[in-house]
Amino acid sequence: MAYFRRRIVFVAVALLFCLYHFHGISGGGGLLQTQTDPIAATQTIIKNRIDWNAVPQRYPVESMIPLPSGTPAKIPNIQYKFGKETKAGKRKRQERLEAIRESFLHSYRGYQKYAWLQDEVTPLSGEYKNGFGGWGATLIDTLDTLWIMGMKKEFAIAVAAVEKIDFTSSDSKVISVFETTIRYVGGLLGAYDLSRGKYPVLLKKAVELGDFLYAAFDTPNRMPITYWEWEKATSGEEQEAGTSVPVADLGSLSMEFTRLTQLTGDPKYFDAVQRIYDGLAEQQNDTRLPGMWPLMVNARKMDFTKDATFTFGAMSDSLYEYFPKQYLLVGGLSEQYRKMYEGTIKAAKKHIFFRPLNEENRDILVSGTMRDVATQSERLDPEGQHLTCFVGGMVGIGAKVFNRPEELDTARRLTDGCIWSYEAMPTGIGPEIFRAVPCLDPGDCTFSLDRYYHWIATDMHYREEDEDEDPPLTRAKAFVKEMGLFPGFTEIRERKYILRPEAIESVFIMYRITGDKTLQDKAWDMFQAVNRYTRTDVAHASIEDVTSTHPRKIDSMESFWTAETLKYYYLIFAEPDLVSLDDYVFNTEAHPFKRPS
């Protein structure tokens, strides 16, 4: 029988190898391309496989927290009831849909040709790089996009490749538990749910990876090690969570681990993440900004209160995003997630959201950052991050799910704030980080150049020191010209665009919630700009400067380009029942998980 099994492996790998080359996927340094003998490659995978369930835990859980059970609560519908479209409207929508699909195919073919089974393709040099465990991040992150775009043949080929990947170990010495969870576990589960369980290997691999990651929770207080030297767990070394950990790295594992428990019945995954939520919930009103959690927390001591920076931006973002989504995923059977969201949104509306001064006098909002909270230097930093553009969609979902209709306007204004950041740039693409002029009185936000220059003069601490120096306003005008700023912006701190999805994510969600077709037109303008400036001969590339009409390209295409950005662009022009928000809930990497019915 052993001989027979080896023969099956031999035939399967040989057929797969031929299939890859038949579809033009050879070359570029992928796993099968760099191995002269594909059978040897497969044997290596099998030989190095680790059974993580057999690795003893130093701090085993004595009593598991159970998954909420019962009949799902009655949750209000999220999606707008779309009517019948005109023939002309349908034709325009389908033309746009095909253009987006073509851009996706261009990027995916580049990955197939130059980086198959590697993490990322380099879109300028036509090579690859591995920064996310080396398990083929783009391949797995893109699985459900293939399914959504109707590429079932390519999907089947990709699933066959996934079956050969060993998720029990990695060539990387240190693993980001957060990135591995949202991209890989999320990607496998999203593809499994969308394909309605027709490919059991996807769940099998998600469990394999979930068991690997579960060992990162083997610490005295069961808080995970977010940047994990995984080999220590195999040798039984002592493990402790970090003392300075981005709060998103802790709080953004819940959906994926919860879905694993739902699909497998194994309570350990949900137990692992619910312990984090319980700790966060207990301290929600003890932080320097009650209702929210600071940017950095001490996971080792389970102290989530000390830091003084609060934001929906980098290193915090998806913690908050997951509150309403986790509520949806468990069918509304836990009020904890609602309460955490409601505490957050109350604090954010009072302290974080601000109305920016802008030339068109648009009534919009930007999500900023509170710094040095509860000190004499406490202040709102009126910065906008591309990462915070998800907030409009989050608030929109929260408004519908938790019956807070007055906040739909807040959600739309936040989304429009991100659209403004795109439309204000010469490329039509929003920057990574900018600063704007906050209207201290939201009811008094009429633009004038004098008002704009006065804020810059004050904000930049321009002072007239002697009679020979230029007055502050004169120097402020010179500063604007020198820095290449646009009316309303006081600084563009990071001018790059790295193919991020957050702006189109909120535009898509608000379209599905409101049915407002002007959002489709905004999305189309955004897509055309991004496609125009990022396309290369190989795929699509990040760009250095959105304020230049000839931006230099960067040799990088992260997997979220095909996993999230192009998926959201596609879905806003697809039929509204394709991945309906009333049937699925997206994780932070745009992987759709089936909601309880």
Side-chain angles (χ1 to χ4, degrees), residues 77-82 93 97 148 393 396-397 400 408 412 415 504-517 519-520 567-586 592:
N77 285 342
I78 297 173
Q79 289 215 159
Y80 178 80
K81 292 184 178 179
F82 290 86
R93 178 180 62 79
L97 202 63
I148 287 168
I397 290 173
K400 296 292 287 187
L408 277 176
R412 180 58 190 263
T415 302
I504 184 56
E505 174 184 351
S506 284
V507 174
F508 157 72
I509 291 172
M510 291 309 296
Y511 170 70
R512 286 286 185 92
I513 288 175
T514 66
D516 185 350
K517 290 189 179 299
L519 289 170
Q520 285 184 312
K567 182 185 294 167
Y568 285 131
Y569 277 121
Y570 186 85
L571 284 173
I572 197 172
F573 294 108
E575 295 282 357
D577 61 351
L578 180 61
V579 198
S580 167
L581 299 181
D582 293 322
D583 297 325
Y584 292 90
V585 55
F586 288 92

Short mmCIF file of all heavy atoms in Angstrom, two decimals, residues 77-82 93 97 148 393 396-397 400 408 412 415 504-517 519-520 567-586 592:
data_model
loop_
_atom_site.label_atom_id
_atom_site.label_comp_id
_atom_site.label_asym_id
_atom_site.label_seq_id
_atom_site.Cartn_x
_atom_site.Cartn_y
_atom_site.Cartn_z
N ASN A 77 -31.43 43.85 7.50
CA ASN A 77 -30.71 43.72 6.23
C ASN A 77 -29.75 44.88 6.05
O ASN A 77 -30.02 46.01 6.47
CB ASN A 77 -31.68 43.67 5.06
CG ASN A 77 -32.40 42.34 4.94
OD1 ASN A 77 -31.95 41.35 5.51
ND2 ASN A 77 -33.50 42.32 4.22
N ILE A 78 -28.63 44.59 5.41
CA ILE A 78 -27.62 45.62 5.15
C ILE A 78 -27.81 46.20 3.75
O ILE A 78 -27.74 47.41 3.55
CB ILE A 78 -26.20 45.02 5.28
CG1 ILE A 78 -25.96 44.55 6.73
CG2 ILE A 78 -25.14 46.04 4.87
CD1 ILE A 78 -24.65 43.80 6.92
N GLN A 79 -28.08 45.35 2.78
CA GLN A 79 -28.09 45.79 1.38
C GLN A 79 -29.37 46.53 0.99
O GLN A 79 -30.47 46.21 1.45
CB GLN A 79 -27.88 44.59 0.45
CG GLN A 79 -26.50 44.03 0.48
CD GLN A 79 -26.02 43.52 -0.87
OE1 GLN A 79 -24.82 43.40 -1.07
NE2 GLN A 79 -26.89 43.23 -1.81
N TYR A 80 -29.19 47.49 0.12
CA TYR A 80 -30.27 48.22 -0.51
C TYR A 80 -31.06 47.28 -1.44
O TYR A 80 -30.48 46.34 -2.00
CB TYR A 80 -29.66 49.37 -1.32
CG TYR A 80 -30.63 50.22 -2.10
CD1 TYR A 80 -31.38 51.21 -1.47
CD2 TYR A 80 -30.79 50.05 -3.47
CE1 TYR A 80 -32.25 52.01 -2.18
CE2 TYR A 80 -31.65 50.84 -4.20
CZ TYR A 80 -32.39 51.82 -3.55
OH TYR A 80 -33.26 52.60 -4.27
N LYS A 81 -32.34 47.51 -1.56
CA LYS A 81 -33.15 46.71 -2.49
C LYS A 81 -33.07 47.32 -3.88
O LYS A 81 -33.76 48.28 -4.20
CB LYS A 81 -34.61 46.66 -2.01
CG LYS A 81 -34.80 45.87 -0.72
CD LYS A 81 -36.26 45.77 -0.33
CE LYS A 81 -36.43 44.94 0.94
NZ LYS A 81 -37.86 44.86 1.36
N PHE A 82 -32.19 46.76 -4.68
CA PHE A 82 -31.94 47.29 -6.01
C PHE A 82 -33.09 46.92 -6.96
O PHE A 82 -33.61 45.81 -6.93
CB PHE A 82 -30.63 46.74 -6.57
CG PHE A 82 -29.40 47.27 -5.88
CD1 PHE A 82 -28.92 46.66 -4.72
CD2 PHE A 82 -28.74 48.38 -6.36
CE1 PHE A 82 -27.80 47.15 -4.07
CE2 PHE A 82 -27.61 48.87 -5.72
CZ PHE A 82 -27.14 48.26 -4.57
N ARG A 93 -22.25 49.22 -17.15
CA ARG A 93 -21.74 48.49 -15.98
C ARG A 93 -20.91 47.30 -16.40
O ARG A 93 -19.82 47.05 -15.86
CB ARG A 93 -22.93 48.05 -15.11
CG ARG A 93 -22.53 47.25 -13.90
CD ARG A 93 -23.73 46.84 -13.06
NE ARG A 93 -24.66 45.98 -13.79
CZ ARG A 93 -24.47 44.68 -14.00
NH1 ARG A 93 -23.37 44.09 -13.56
NH2 ARG A 93 -25.37 43.97 -14.65
N LEU A 97 -17.01 46.38 -15.76
CA LEU A 97 -16.70 45.11 -15.10
C LEU A 97 -15.60 44.36 -15.87
O LEU A 97 -14.65 43.84 -15.28
CB LEU A 97 -17.97 44.26 -15.04
CG LEU A 97 -18.06 43.15 -14.00
CD1 LEU A 97 -17.99 43.72 -12.58
CD2 LEU A 97 -19.37 42.39 -14.18
N ILE A 148 -15.04 34.60 -7.65
CA ILE A 148 -15.98 35.70 -7.84
C ILE A 148 -16.01 36.15 -9.29
O ILE A 148 -17.08 36.45 -9.85
CB ILE A 148 -15.61 36.88 -6.91
CG1 ILE A 148 -15.99 36.53 -5.46
CG2 ILE A 148 -16.28 38.18 -7.34
CD1 ILE A 148 -15.43 37.48 -4.42
N GLY A 393 -17.03 52.45 5.62
CA GLY A 393 -17.74 51.19 5.46
C GLY A 393 -18.08 50.56 6.79
O GLY A 393 -19.19 50.01 6.97
N GLY A 396 -20.95 52.41 8.26
CA GLY A 396 -22.16 52.09 7.50
C GLY A 396 -22.76 50.76 7.92
O GLY A 396 -23.97 50.63 8.14
N ILE A 397 -21.90 49.74 8.05
CA ILE A 397 -22.38 48.43 8.49
C ILE A 397 -22.92 48.50 9.91
O ILE A 397 -23.99 47.96 10.22
CB ILE A 397 -21.24 47.38 8.39
CG1 ILE A 397 -20.92 47.10 6.91
CG2 ILE A 397 -21.62 46.09 9.11
CD1 ILE A 397 -19.71 46.21 6.71
N LYS A 400 -26.41 50.01 10.08
CA LYS A 400 -27.48 49.10 9.64
C LYS A 400 -27.69 47.97 10.64
O LYS A 400 -28.82 47.70 11.05
CB LYS A 400 -27.13 48.52 8.27
CG LYS A 400 -27.05 49.55 7.15
CD LYS A 400 -28.41 50.15 6.82
CE LYS A 400 -29.30 49.18 6.08
NZ LYS A 400 -30.55 49.82 5.61
N LEU A 408 -25.61 56.68 9.34
CA LEU A 408 -25.40 56.48 7.90
C LEU A 408 -24.84 57.74 7.26
O LEU A 408 -24.02 57.67 6.34
CB LEU A 408 -26.70 56.07 7.22
CG LEU A 408 -27.07 54.59 7.30
CD1 LEU A 408 -28.44 54.35 6.66
CD2 LEU A 408 -26.01 53.72 6.63
N ARG A 412 -21.30 58.07 5.25
CA ARG A 412 -21.17 58.63 3.90
C ARG A 412 -20.16 59.78 3.88
O ARG A 412 -19.35 59.89 2.95
CB ARG A 412 -22.54 59.10 3.40
CG ARG A 412 -22.51 59.70 1.99
CD ARG A 412 -21.95 58.70 0.97
NE ARG A 412 -21.71 59.32 -0.31
CZ ARG A 412 -22.57 59.27 -1.35
NH1 ARG A 412 -23.74 58.62 -1.20
NH2 ARG A 412 -22.28 59.84 -2.48
N THR A 415 -16.70 58.37 3.93
CA THR A 415 -16.37 57.81 2.61
C THR A 415 -16.07 58.93 1.63
O THR A 415 -15.10 58.86 0.85
CB THR A 415 -17.54 56.94 2.11
OG1 THR A 415 -17.80 55.91 3.06
CG2 THR A 415 -17.22 56.31 0.76
N ILE A 504 -11.74 52.19 -1.87
CA ILE A 504 -12.76 51.53 -2.69
C ILE A 504 -13.59 50.57 -1.84
O ILE A 504 -14.77 50.32 -2.13
CB ILE A 504 -12.13 50.81 -3.91
CG1 ILE A 504 -13.23 50.22 -4.81
CG2 ILE A 504 -11.15 49.74 -3.48
CD1 ILE A 504 -14.25 51.22 -5.31
N GLU A 505 -13.02 50.05 -0.77
CA GLU A 505 -13.78 49.19 0.14
C GLU A 505 -15.00 49.92 0.69
O GLU A 505 -16.14 49.40 0.66
CB GLU A 505 -12.88 48.74 1.29
CG GLU A 505 -13.57 47.96 2.39
CD GLU A 505 -12.64 47.64 3.55
OE1 GLU A 505 -11.41 47.87 3.43
OE2 GLU A 505 -13.13 47.16 4.59
N SER A 506 -14.79 51.14 1.20
CA SER A 506 -15.92 51.89 1.75
C SER A 506 -16.87 52.37 0.66
O SER A 506 -18.08 52.41 0.87
CB SER A 506 -15.40 53.08 2.57
OG SER A 506 -14.90 52.65 3.82
N VAL A 507 -16.34 52.73 -0.49
CA VAL A 507 -17.21 53.14 -1.61
C VAL A 507 -18.11 51.97 -1.99
O VAL A 507 -19.32 52.13 -2.21
CB VAL A 507 -16.37 53.61 -2.81
CG1 VAL A 507 -17.26 53.88 -4.02
CG2 VAL A 507 -15.60 54.89 -2.45
N PHE A 508 -17.54 50.77 -2.07
CA PHE A 508 -18.32 49.57 -2.40
C PHE A 508 -19.40 49.31 -1.35
O PHE A 508 -20.57 49.09 -1.67
CB PHE A 508 -17.39 48.36 -2.51
CG PHE A 508 -18.08 47.03 -2.30
CD1 PHE A 508 -18.94 46.52 -3.26
CD2 PHE A 508 -17.88 46.31 -1.13
CE1 PHE A 508 -19.59 45.30 -3.06
CE2 PHE A 508 -18.52 45.09 -0.92
CZ PHE A 508 -19.39 44.59 -1.89
N ILE A 509 -19.01 49.33 -0.07
CA ILE A 509 -19.98 49.03 0.99
C ILE A 509 -21.10 50.05 1.01
O ILE A 509 -22.29 49.70 1.11
CB ILE A 509 -19.27 48.96 2.36
CG1 ILE A 509 -18.36 47.72 2.43
CG2 ILE A 509 -20.28 48.94 3.51
CD1 ILE A 509 -17.47 47.67 3.66
N MET A 510 -20.74 51.34 0.86
CA MET A 510 -21.79 52.37 0.90
C MET A 510 -22.69 52.28 -0.33
O MET A 510 -23.88 52.60 -0.25
CB MET A 510 -21.14 53.75 1.02
CG MET A 510 -20.48 54.01 2.37
SD MET A 510 -21.56 53.67 3.80
CE MET A 510 -22.85 54.89 3.55
N TYR A 511 -22.15 51.82 -1.45
CA TYR A 511 -23.00 51.60 -2.63
C TYR A 511 -24.00 50.47 -2.36
O TYR A 511 -25.20 50.60 -2.64
CB TYR A 511 -22.16 51.27 -3.86
CG TYR A 511 -23.00 50.78 -5.03
CD1 TYR A 511 -23.84 51.66 -5.71
CD2 TYR A 511 -22.99 49.44 -5.40
CE1 TYR A 511 -24.64 51.21 -6.75
CE2 TYR A 511 -23.79 48.98 -6.44
CZ TYR A 511 -24.61 49.86 -7.11
OH TYR A 511 -25.41 49.42 -8.13
N ARG A 512 -23.52 49.39 -1.80
CA ARG A 512 -24.41 48.26 -1.51
C ARG A 512 -25.45 48.63 -0.45
O ARG A 512 -26.55 48.08 -0.44
CB ARG A 512 -23.60 47.06 -1.04
CG ARG A 512 -22.80 46.34 -2.14
CD ARG A 512 -23.71 45.51 -3.04
NE ARG A 512 -22.98 44.72 -4.03
CZ ARG A 512 -22.56 43.47 -3.85
NH1 ARG A 512 -22.79 42.86 -2.70
NH2 ARG A 512 -21.91 42.84 -4.81
N ILE A 513 -25.12 49.56 0.45
CA ILE A 513 -26.06 49.98 1.50
C ILE A 513 -27.09 50.97 0.97
O ILE A 513 -28.28 50.90 1.32
CB ILE A 513 -25.29 50.59 2.69
CG1 ILE A 513 -24.54 49.49 3.47
CG2 ILE A 513 -26.23 51.34 3.63
CD1 ILE A 513 -23.66 50.02 4.59
N THR A 514 -26.64 51.91 0.14
CA THR A 514 -27.51 53.02 -0.27
C THR A 514 -28.08 52.89 -1.67
O THR A 514 -29.10 53.51 -1.99
CB THR A 514 -26.75 54.36 -0.21
OG1 THR A 514 -25.70 54.35 -1.20
CG2 THR A 514 -26.14 54.58 1.17
N GLY A 515 -27.41 52.13 -2.56
CA GLY A 515 -27.85 52.04 -3.95
C GLY A 515 -27.55 53.29 -4.75
O GLY A 515 -28.03 53.43 -5.89
N ASP A 516 -26.75 54.20 -4.21
CA ASP A 516 -26.43 55.47 -4.88
C ASP A 516 -25.46 55.21 -6.04
O ASP A 516 -24.28 54.92 -5.83
CB ASP A 516 -25.82 56.43 -3.87
CG ASP A 516 -25.55 57.81 -4.47
OD1 ASP A 516 -25.67 57.98 -5.70
OD2 ASP A 516 -25.21 58.72 -3.69
N LYS A 517 -25.95 55.36 -7.27
CA LYS A 517 -25.14 55.04 -8.44
C LYS A 517 -24.02 56.05 -8.69
O LYS A 517 -23.10 55.76 -9.45
CB LYS A 517 -26.04 54.90 -9.67
CG LYS A 517 -26.93 53.66 -9.62
CD LYS A 517 -27.63 53.42 -10.94
CE LYS A 517 -28.49 52.16 -10.88
NZ LYS A 517 -27.68 50.94 -10.62
N LEU A 519 -21.86 56.65 -6.66
CA LEU A 519 -20.68 55.99 -6.07
C LEU A 519 -20.01 55.07 -7.07
O LEU A 519 -18.79 54.88 -7.03
CB LEU A 519 -21.08 55.22 -4.81
CG LEU A 519 -21.44 56.09 -3.61
CD1 LEU A 519 -22.06 55.25 -2.50
CD2 LEU A 519 -20.21 56.82 -3.08
N GLN A 520 -20.79 54.50 -7.98
CA GLN A 520 -20.18 53.70 -9.06
C GLN A 520 -19.32 54.58 -9.95
O GLN A 520 -18.24 54.17 -10.39
CB GLN A 520 -21.26 53.00 -9.88
CG GLN A 520 -21.91 51.80 -9.19
CD GLN A 520 -22.91 51.11 -10.08
OE1 GLN A 520 -23.76 51.75 -10.70
NE2 GLN A 520 -22.81 49.79 -10.17
N LYS A 567 -10.92 43.15 -6.19
CA LYS A 567 -12.17 42.48 -5.84
C LYS A 567 -13.27 43.51 -5.56
O LYS A 567 -14.40 43.38 -6.04
CB LYS A 567 -11.96 41.58 -4.64
CG LYS A 567 -13.21 40.79 -4.23
CD LYS A 567 -12.96 40.02 -2.95
CE LYS A 567 -11.92 38.94 -3.14
NZ LYS A 567 -11.42 38.38 -1.88
N TYR A 568 -12.94 44.53 -4.77
CA TYR A 568 -13.94 45.55 -4.45
C TYR A 568 -14.33 46.35 -5.69
O TYR A 568 -15.51 46.68 -5.88
CB TYR A 568 -13.43 46.46 -3.35
CG TYR A 568 -13.44 45.85 -1.96
CD1 TYR A 568 -12.32 45.91 -1.14
CD2 TYR A 568 -14.59 45.22 -1.47
CE1 TYR A 568 -12.33 45.35 0.14
CE2 TYR A 568 -14.61 44.66 -0.20
CZ TYR A 568 -13.48 44.74 0.60
OH TYR A 568 -13.50 44.18 1.86
N TYR A 569 -13.34 46.67 -6.52
CA TYR A 569 -13.68 47.37 -7.77
C TYR A 569 -14.61 46.51 -8.62
O TYR A 569 -15.57 47.02 -9.23
CB TYR A 569 -12.40 47.69 -8.56
CG TYR A 569 -11.70 48.96 -8.13
CD1 TYR A 569 -10.38 48.93 -7.67
CD2 TYR A 569 -12.35 50.18 -8.18
CE1 TYR A 569 -9.74 50.09 -7.27
CE2 TYR A 569 -11.71 51.35 -7.77
CZ TYR A 569 -10.41 51.29 -7.32
OH TYR A 569 -9.76 52.45 -6.92
N TYR A 570 -14.36 45.22 -8.66
CA TYR A 570 -15.19 44.32 -9.47
C TYR A 570 -16.61 44.23 -8.88
O TYR A 570 -17.60 44.34 -9.60
CB TYR A 570 -14.55 42.94 -9.51
CG TYR A 570 -15.24 41.96 -10.44
CD1 TYR A 570 -14.93 41.92 -11.80
CD2 TYR A 570 -16.20 41.08 -9.95
CE1 TYR A 570 -15.56 41.02 -12.65
CE2 TYR A 570 -16.83 40.17 -10.79
CZ TYR A 570 -16.50 40.15 -12.14
OH TYR A 570 -17.14 39.26 -12.98
N LEU A 571 -16.70 44.06 -7.58
CA LEU A 571 -18.00 43.83 -6.95
C LEU A 571 -18.92 45.04 -7.01
O LEU A 571 -20.15 44.88 -7.02
CB LEU A 571 -17.81 43.38 -5.50
CG LEU A 571 -17.36 41.94 -5.30
CD1 LEU A 571 -17.05 41.66 -3.83
CD2 LEU A 571 -18.43 40.96 -5.80
N ILE A 572 -18.36 46.23 -7.06
CA ILE A 572 -19.24 47.40 -7.11
C ILE A 572 -19.95 47.49 -8.45
O ILE A 572 -21.01 48.13 -8.58
CB ILE A 572 -18.47 48.71 -6.79
CG1 ILE A 572 -19.47 49.83 -6.43
CG2 ILE A 572 -17.58 49.15 -7.94
CD1 ILE A 572 -18.82 51.09 -5.92
N PHE A 573 -19.41 46.80 -9.48
CA PHE A 573 -20.06 46.79 -10.79
C PHE A 573 -20.72 45.45 -11.12
O PHE A 573 -21.30 45.29 -12.18
CB PHE A 573 -19.04 47.16 -11.88
CG PHE A 573 -18.54 48.57 -11.77
CD1 PHE A 573 -17.24 48.83 -11.34
CD2 PHE A 573 -19.38 49.64 -12.03
CE1 PHE A 573 -16.78 50.12 -11.21
CE2 PHE A 573 -18.92 50.95 -11.90
CZ PHE A 573 -17.62 51.19 -11.48
N ALA A 574 -20.60 44.50 -10.21
CA ALA A 574 -21.23 43.20 -10.41
C ALA A 574 -22.70 43.27 -10.00
O ALA A 574 -23.17 44.25 -9.43
CB ALA A 574 -20.50 42.14 -9.59
N GLU A 575 -23.44 42.21 -10.29
CA GLU A 575 -24.82 42.12 -9.81
C GLU A 575 -24.81 42.21 -8.28
O GLU A 575 -23.98 41.58 -7.62
CB GLU A 575 -25.44 40.79 -10.25
CG GLU A 575 -25.60 40.63 -11.75
CD GLU A 575 -26.80 41.40 -12.30
OE1 GLU A 575 -27.54 42.02 -11.50
OE2 GLU A 575 -26.98 41.39 -13.53
N PRO A 576 -25.73 42.96 -7.69
CA PRO A 576 -25.68 43.18 -6.23
C PRO A 576 -25.82 41.92 -5.39
O PRO A 576 -25.42 41.91 -4.22
CB PRO A 576 -26.88 44.12 -5.99
CG PRO A 576 -27.15 44.76 -7.30
CD PRO A 576 -26.78 43.75 -8.34
N ASP A 577 -26.38 40.85 -5.96
CA ASP A 577 -26.51 39.63 -5.17
C ASP A 577 -25.26 38.76 -5.23
O ASP A 577 -25.20 37.70 -4.59
CB ASP A 577 -27.73 38.82 -5.61
CG ASP A 577 -27.66 38.38 -7.07
OD1 ASP A 577 -26.75 38.83 -7.79
OD2 ASP A 577 -28.52 37.59 -7.50
N LEU A 578 -24.24 39.19 -5.98
CA LEU A 578 -22.97 38.46 -5.98
C LEU A 578 -22.23 38.81 -4.70
O LEU A 578 -21.81 39.94 -4.49
CB LEU A 578 -22.14 38.83 -7.22
CG LEU A 578 -20.78 38.12 -7.33
CD1 LEU A 578 -20.95 36.61 -7.43
CD2 LEU A 578 -19.99 38.65 -8.54
N VAL A 579 -22.08 37.85 -3.82
CA VAL A 579 -21.50 38.04 -2.48
C VAL A 579 -22.28 39.15 -1.76
O VAL A 579 -21.72 40.18 -1.37
CB VAL A 579 -20.00 38.36 -2.54
CG1 VAL A 579 -19.37 38.11 -1.16
CG2 VAL A 579 -19.27 37.53 -3.58
N SER A 580 -23.54 38.92 -1.56
CA SER A 580 -24.40 39.88 -0.86
C SER A 580 -23.93 40.08 0.57
O SER A 580 -23.56 39.12 1.25
CB SER A 580 -25.85 39.38 -0.87
OG SER A 580 -26.64 40.13 0.03
N LEU A 581 -24.00 41.32 1.04
CA LEU A 581 -23.62 41.61 2.42
C LEU A 581 -24.63 41.04 3.42
O LEU A 581 -24.36 41.00 4.62
CB LEU A 581 -23.49 43.12 2.62
CG LEU A 581 -22.42 43.81 1.77
CD1 LEU A 581 -22.38 45.31 2.08
CD2 LEU A 581 -21.06 43.19 1.98
N ASP A 582 -25.77 40.59 2.93
CA ASP A 582 -26.74 39.93 3.80
C ASP A 582 -26.48 38.43 3.92
O ASP A 582 -27.10 37.75 4.74
CB ASP A 582 -28.16 40.17 3.29
CG ASP A 582 -28.57 41.63 3.40
OD1 ASP A 582 -28.19 42.27 4.39
OD2 ASP A 582 -29.24 42.14 2.48
N ASP A 583 -25.57 37.93 3.10
CA ASP A 583 -25.22 36.50 3.14
C ASP A 583 -23.80 36.25 3.62
O ASP A 583 -23.50 35.18 4.17
CB ASP A 583 -25.38 35.88 1.75
CG ASP A 583 -26.81 35.92 1.24
OD1 ASP A 583 -27.73 35.78 2.07
OD2 ASP A 583 -27.01 36.10 0.02
N TYR A 584 -22.91 37.21 3.38
CA TYR A 584 -21.49 37.04 3.71
C TYR A 584 -20.99 38.25 4.49
O TYR A 584 -21.54 39.35 4.40
CB TYR A 584 -20.65 36.90 2.43
CG TYR A 584 -20.90 35.63 1.66
CD1 TYR A 584 -21.89 35.56 0.68
CD2 TYR A 584 -20.15 34.48 1.91
CE1 TYR A 584 -22.13 34.39 -0.03
CE2 TYR A 584 -20.38 33.31 1.20
CZ TYR A 584 -21.37 33.27 0.24
OH TYR A 584 -21.59 32.11 -0.46
N VAL A 585 -19.92 38.03 5.23
CA VAL A 585 -19.23 39.11 5.92
C VAL A 585 -17.75 39.00 5.58
O VAL A 585 -17.16 37.91 5.65
CB VAL A 585 -19.47 39.07 7.45
CG1 VAL A 585 -19.10 37.72 8.06
CG2 VAL A 585 -18.73 40.20 8.14
N PHE A 586 -17.15 40.11 5.15
CA PHE A 586 -15.76 40.12 4.70
C PHE A 586 -14.80 40.27 5.88
O PHE A 586 -15.02 41.12 6.76
CB PHE A 586 -15.52 41.29 3.74
CG PHE A 586 -16.15 41.12 2.39
CD1 PHE A 586 -17.41 41.61 2.13
CD2 PHE A 586 -15.46 40.48 1.37
CE1 PHE A 586 -18.00 41.47 0.88
CE2 PHE A 586 -16.03 40.32 0.11
CZ PHE A 586 -17.30 40.81 -0.13
N PRO A 592 -14.70 36.60 2.02
CA PRO A 592 -16.08 36.50 2.49
C PRO A 592 -16.37 35.21 3.24
O PRO A 592 -16.12 34.11 2.75
CB PRO A 592 -16.88 36.55 1.18
CG PRO A 592 -15.95 36.03 0.13
CD PRO A 592 -14.55 36.33 0.59
#
